[in-house]
């Protein structure tokens, strides 16, 4: 079984983020890390392999990322967790690409690999669009098991069962392979890379793919090929001081009055 995991490098979630004059995220102004939510996808891939006989049974995990040169750091992190190898789609023309282009590029790279299972996070912690996996499903014409809080793979039957966590409850999903599975953060606890894993990752292969390798013209990607543009932005309004209720014997009544005024009760 060949598992492919889509991983994105993002600015550190805790760092203060800035926009450039061109109204895109200034990625150089913050430390870059592997998208937290993609760590769960890498961890789940490792657990699926372990539950199905391990690497000895011929299962492999390939990471795929589209991003600039330094996206390799995020790939190395995934490799140090235990993935086998990685693909890095890198081309100067890709800067400024929107979600439609990102999904197209990832889909072209995935087609070359022909994996049995594709895992992704639910969203990136920077753009937070949460659309790439669904777009991949459309482009590749593959089933999409979204918001998976539990995944079981039957390699012999070539089926995937997942539990889809929604606000209303849990939905049991089943699909033939190949398929795309989007995992939520409750699915597992990602492992820390061990010292051995970090050393081993230095020797693992990261293959670079250019637009030419994927048969995509530079004019179709980047900001010039984008279908969406950021026209304007504004800071969210500062929060007001709130209302302080002093309990002078009628605190309960004052609270009820406040909640009723806000139509909360
Ligand atoms: C006008 C415009 C300009 C933009 N310019 C840039 C830019 O210059 N540089 C830039 O980095 N972004 C840019 N973006 C943002 C970029 O389009 C989004 O990051 C991208 O479309 C993915 O959306 P998302 O991050 O919200 O992914 P989501 O849909 O939230 O991600 C879900 C999952 O998809 C996978 N995934 C997402 N992106 C990648 C990736 N690149 N590689 C591998 N797996 C991935 C991951 O598994 C992730 O957990 C721009 C957006 C717009 C609208």
């Amino acid at each position: 079984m060949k598992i492919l995991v889509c991983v994105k490098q993002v600015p550190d979630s805790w760092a203060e983020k800035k926009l450039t004059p061109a109204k895109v995220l200034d990625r150089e102004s913050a430390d870059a890390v592997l998208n937290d939510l993609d760590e769960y996808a890498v961890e789940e891939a490792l657990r699926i392999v372990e539950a199905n006989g391990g690497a000895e049974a011929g299962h492999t995990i390939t990471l795929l990322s589209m991003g600039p040169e330094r996206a390799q750091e995020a790939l190395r992190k995934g490799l140090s967790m235990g993935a086998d190898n990685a693909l890095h789609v890198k081309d100067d023309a890709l800067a400024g690409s929107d979600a439609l282009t990102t999904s197209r590029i990832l889909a072209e790279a995935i087609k070359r690999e022909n994996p049995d299972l594709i895992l992704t996070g639910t969203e990136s912690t920077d753009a937070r669009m949460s659309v790439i996996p669904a777009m991949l499903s459309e482009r590749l014409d593959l089933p999409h098991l979204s918001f998976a809080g539990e995944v079981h793979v039957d390699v012999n039957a070539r089926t995937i069962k997942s539990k889809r966590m929604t606000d209303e409850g849990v939905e049991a999903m089943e699909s033939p392979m190949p398929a795309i599975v989007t995992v939520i953060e409750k699915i597992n606890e990602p492992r820390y890379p061990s010292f051995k894993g970090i050393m081993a990752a230095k020797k693992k292969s990261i293959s670079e793919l250019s637009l030419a390798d994927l048969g995509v013209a530079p004019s179709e990607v980047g900001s010039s090929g984008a279908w969406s543009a950021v026209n304007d932005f504004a800071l969210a309004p500062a929060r007001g001081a709130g209302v302080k209720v002093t309990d002078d014997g009628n605190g309960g009544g004052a609270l009820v009055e406040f909640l009723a005024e806000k139509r909360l009760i």
Side-chain angles (χ1 to χ4, degrees), residues 6-8 24 27 35 38 64-66 95-99 102 106 120-124 126-133 228-229:
C6 293
V7 296
K8 185 182 183 189
V24 293
R27 288 168 192 279
N35 180 32
D38 295 347
L64 168 64
S65 191
M66 176 188 123
S97 293
D98 63 3
T102 304
L106 294 178
T120 76
T122 25
E123 65 174 21
S124 67
D126 55 352
R128 285 192 182 274
M129 288 177 161
S130 204
V131 290
I132 296 296
S228 56

Side-chain angles (χ1 to χ4, degrees), residues 21-265:
K23 301 192 183 81
V24 293
L25 189 59
D26 182 355
R27 288 168 192 279
E28 300 305 318
S29 67
D31 287 342
V33 297
L34 170 60
N35 180 32
D36 300 0
L37 297 168
D38 295 347
E39 285 190 28
Y40 296 90
V42 176
E43 175 64 33
E44 199 55 27
L46 293 166
R47 291 185 188 204
I48 290 169
V49 166
E50 285 159 7
N52 284 281
E56 297 75 28
H59 307 309
T60 58
I61 302 171
T62 298
L63 306 178
L64 168 64
S65 191
M66 176 188 123
E69 180 68 33
R70 72 173 182 167
Q72 284 214 5
E73 296 158 18
L75 289 170
R76 288 277 171 224
K77 167 92 187 271
L79 292 173
S80 65
M81 287 173 73
D84 298 290
N85 51 51
L87 292 171
H88 182 191
V89 186
K90 190 182 81 145
D91 202 299
D92 289 345
L94 286 167
S97 293
D98 63 3
L100 279 169
T101 301
T102 304
S103 63
R104 180 178 172 204
I105 297 298
L106 294 178
E108 290 301 332
I110 292 169
K111 273 187 218 161
R112 289 168 52 109
E113 293 299 303
N114 204 18
D116 302 293
L117 174 62
I118 299 151
L119 291 173
T120 76
T122 25
E123 65 174 21
S124 67
T125 58
D126 55 352
R128 285 192 182 274
M129 288 177 161
S130 204
V131 290
I132 296 296
M135 287 180 169
L136 288 177
S137 158
E138 277 297 313
R139 290 191 183 279
L140 297 165
D141 197 19
L142 290 179
H144 179 203
L145 306 180
S146 61
F147 297 107
E150 208 176 297
V151 177
H152 297 282
V153 174
D154 186 330
V155 184
N156 297 324
R158 287 189 62 76
T159 55
I160 306 165
K161 287 186 181 164
S162 83
K163 294 217 169 126
R164 183 172 189 266
M165 308 303 179
T166 71
D167 289 344
E168 285 75 38
V170 179
E171 292 169 356
M173 316 273 285
E174 186 170 343
S175 138
M177 285 158 77
I180 300 172
V181 178
T182 304
V183 305
I184 59 169
E185 69 271 29
K186 290 195 186 96
I187 196 166
N188 58 44
E189 190 60 47
R191 66 196 69 186
Y192 286 106
S194 63
F195 181 68
K196 198 173 152 208
I198 294 169
M199 295 313 284
K202 290 184 198 285
K203 292 193 191 126
K204 291 180 180 172
S205 115
I206 299 182
S207 308
E208 289 185 6
L209 290 172
S210 66
L211 284 174
D213 293 326
L214 299 178
V216 178
S219 58
E220 294 169 22
V221 303
S223 39
S224 56
W227 285 64
S228 56
V230 178
N231 290 327
D232 203 1
F233 63 90
L235 289 176
R239 283 184 160 212
V243 177
K244 199 171 180 181
V245 175
T246 311
D247 189 6
D248 53 5
N250 190 27
L255 280 176
V256 169
E257 225 171 83
F258 175 79
L259 292 171
E261 196 183 297
K262 299 279 175 201
R263 293 169 174 257
L264 293 170
I265 54 172

